[in-house]
Amino acid sequence: MIEMLAALNRRGRFAVPLIAGFAALAVTGCGPQMEDQPSLETYEEAMPPMPAGTIARSGGDPLPGDGAAALRNPFPTTREYLARGAALFAIYCTPCHGAGGRGDGLVAGPLGVEVRDLTGEHVAALTDGEIFRTISAGNGAMLGLRGLIAPEERWLIVLEVRARQAAVAPPSGQP
Amino acid sequence: MRGLSPPSTLGLVLAFAAVVLAAGLAWFLLSSRPTPQPIAFSHRLHAGQYQLDCLFCHGNAARGAAASIPAVRDCYVCHWSVGEGRPEIVKLERLVEEGLPIRWRKIVRLPEHVQFSHEPHVRRGIECAVCHGQVEEMEMTHQIRELKMGVCVECHWENRASSDCLVCHH
C-alpha cells in the first residue's frame, strides 16, 4: 500500500495533498451520521397537511371560542390526577403566578405587568372551560401556552388551580 | 518538486500520522468546548436565575423521544415583554418577522446505532442533570460527559432497567 502511494507520488506533485485529503476524510467521516437523531427542526412540517374535513381519532386541540365556558374537565379529581396537575403547575404556571398561584413568580417582575392571583375571586368565578381556554389561547397580557403544554396537561393544571383555590378559601358551609 | 527528492515511505507515514493527529485534536477541541449558538441563549439566566423548569421549554422530553426546542413564537410567551430591545431579543424578533427558524447547533451527541427516547427516563424521574449536567450554571451549554454504552448500561443496572440489547439498539 505504502509503496503504491510512494510510486503514485513520484509521478504527480498533487499526490501528497490528495492523500492527506483522503486521510482527513477517513478520519472525520462523511455522509449521513446515525448519531443525528430524527428530531424536528423549528417550523419543520411534521406531517403533510391533512385534507379538509379530517377528523381527529384522539387528542385534538380545539381552541374553544364562545363555547369554552361549557367545556367540562375530562379528568375527575383523583389523587393521581391532582399529583400530576401539581407537577405540571410547578413547571408551567409557577414562573409567573408563583408557587402559591398568588401572581408573585420570579418572571412576574421582568414581565412588567400585574400577574393574576389564581386564588383570587376573578379566576375562582371562571368555569373550568374558561381557565382551559385562557391557558391555551391566553388572555390580556398572558399569551397562550398551547404550543408548550399538551391539551390533557392543561386540563390537569385546571384541577390544580381549583385545588389551590379550595385551599385558600374553603367552600362555604365549612368552618 | 523537480529539485526535491521523492518523499520516502517514512515521510508519507509521518505525513499521514500528522493529518490524523491534527484532525483528532481539532475534533477534541471543537467537541469539548462550549458551542456558540445563533442567539446567545443563557441557561444560567433561564434555568438558574429565573428557575424555569427544563420541561417548560423542553416539554416534549416528557412526551416522546426528542426533548425538542420550542418554536420561536413560544419564546414570545415571555419575550413579548421581557428583555425588549436587548440585542439578542432583537435577533429573535427579526427571525419571527421573517418566519425563520433558529438554527441551534447540536451539543449533546450519542454514539451511532442507538435510539434514545427521553420520555421513559423522565417518567422514571431520572434527573436531566445526570446526562446534561448543571445547565442552570452554564452560560453556554456543553456536553459534560461522553454518553457511551458503558454509561448507559451502568445506569440501567443501578436503576434495574432492562439491559436487553433491543432496548436501545432497535
Side-chain angles (χ1 to χ4, degrees), chain B:
Chain B
M1 286 291 271
R2 209 163 280 170
L4 298 169
S5 57
S8 62
T9 308
L10 182 68
L12 274 173
V13 170
L14 282 178
F16 181 77
V19 168
V20 169
L21 270 177
L25 189 70
W27 179 83
F28 174 78
L29 288 176
L30 288 174
S31 61
S32 59
R33 289 281 173 86
T35 311
Q37 297 284 4
I39 288 181
F41 178 90
S42 166
H43 275 87
R44 180 154 57 190
L45 183 70
H46 290 80
Q49 190 178 333
Y50 290 117
Q51 293 172 24
L52 293 182
D53 194 283
C54 305
L55 293 175
F56 187 90
C57 296
H58 305 293
N60 209 54
R63 303 179 197 118
S68 79
I69 287 170
V72 181
R73 65 182 143 76
D74 287 330
C75 301
Y76 262 56
V77 165
C78 300
H79 285 294
W80 64 270
S81 159
V82 180
E84 218 180 347
R86 292 200 187 167
E88 299 305 311
I89 303 302
V90 171
K91 278 192 214 169
L92 182 72
E93 285 165 3
R94 199 170 307 148
L95 287 168
V96 170
E97 276 165 24
E98 293 171 13
L100 293 172
I102 308 173
R103 295 269 167 213
W104 299 108
R105 294 170 68 185
K106 195 176 171 83
I107 305 284
V108 182
R109 301 215 166 246
L110 283 171
E112 300 186 11
H113 309 297
V114 57
Q115 294 294 324
F116 178 82
S117 174
H118 280 87
E119 188 268 328
H121 296 86
V122 173
R123 182 153 36 88
R124 273 295 298 268
I126 306 295
E127 293 290 332
C128 308
V130 170
C131 296
H132 294 283
Q134 307 293 330
V135 295
E136 68 271 22
E137 291 165 12
M138 298 181 199
E139 197 62 38
M140 262 192 267
T141 42
H142 58 271
Q143 182 160 359
I144 55 148
R145 63 199 287 197
E146 256 197 297
L147 297 169
K148 296 239 167 178
M149 189 169 144
V151 173
C152 301
V153 170
E154 205 172 294
C155 197
H156 272 227
W157 281 343
E158 280 170 15
N159 290 288
R160 293 168 182 228
S162 171
S163 45
D164 192 288
C165 307
L166 290 177
V167 167
C168 308
H169 302 289
H170 56 83

Side-chain angles (χ1 to χ4, degrees), chain A residues 3-157:
Chain A
E3 283 86 341
M4 205 183 76
L5 291 176
L8 226 163
N9 191 43
R10 263 174 235 121
R11 245 178 274 156
R13 62 173 70 172
F14 301 113
V16 167
L18 264 180
I19 291 165
F22 278 126
L25 272 182
V27 169
T28 55
C30 44
Q33 300 282 316
M34 280 186 76
E35 65 182 359
D36 290 317
Q37 302 248 340
S39 50
L40 288 179
E41 294 280 347
T42 319
Y43 290 124
E44 190 174 41
E45 218 162 307
M47 56 191 289
M50 285 177 281
T54 305
I55 296 165
R57 282 186 64 218
S58 65
D61 189 6
L63 254 193
D66 295 336
L71 283 180
R72 292 185 57 194
N73 196 334
F75 292 97
T77 310
T78 64
R79 191 175 296 178
E80 188 209 333
Y81 289 141
L82 275 175
R84 283 176 62 192
L88 290 162
F89 185 97
I91 295 167
Y92 295 107
C93 311
T94 299
C96 294
H97 291 285
R102 298 302 190 95
D104 53 358
L106 282 172
V107 185
L111 266 177
V113 294
E114 197 183 326
V115 176
R116 188 83 76 186
D117 178 356
L118 298 179
T119 60
E121 279 177 18
H122 179 91
V123 184
L126 297 176
T127 66
D128 284 357
E130 284 168 331
I131 298 175
F132 177 84
R133 180 179 62 189
T134 303
I135 301 171
S136 310
N139 183 23
M142 175 178 162
L143 297 194
L145 289 145
R146 63 196 296 246
L148 295 172
I149 320 177
E152 57 273 25
E153 293 173 334
R154 281 174 241 152
W155 281 118
L156 291 167
I157 289 173

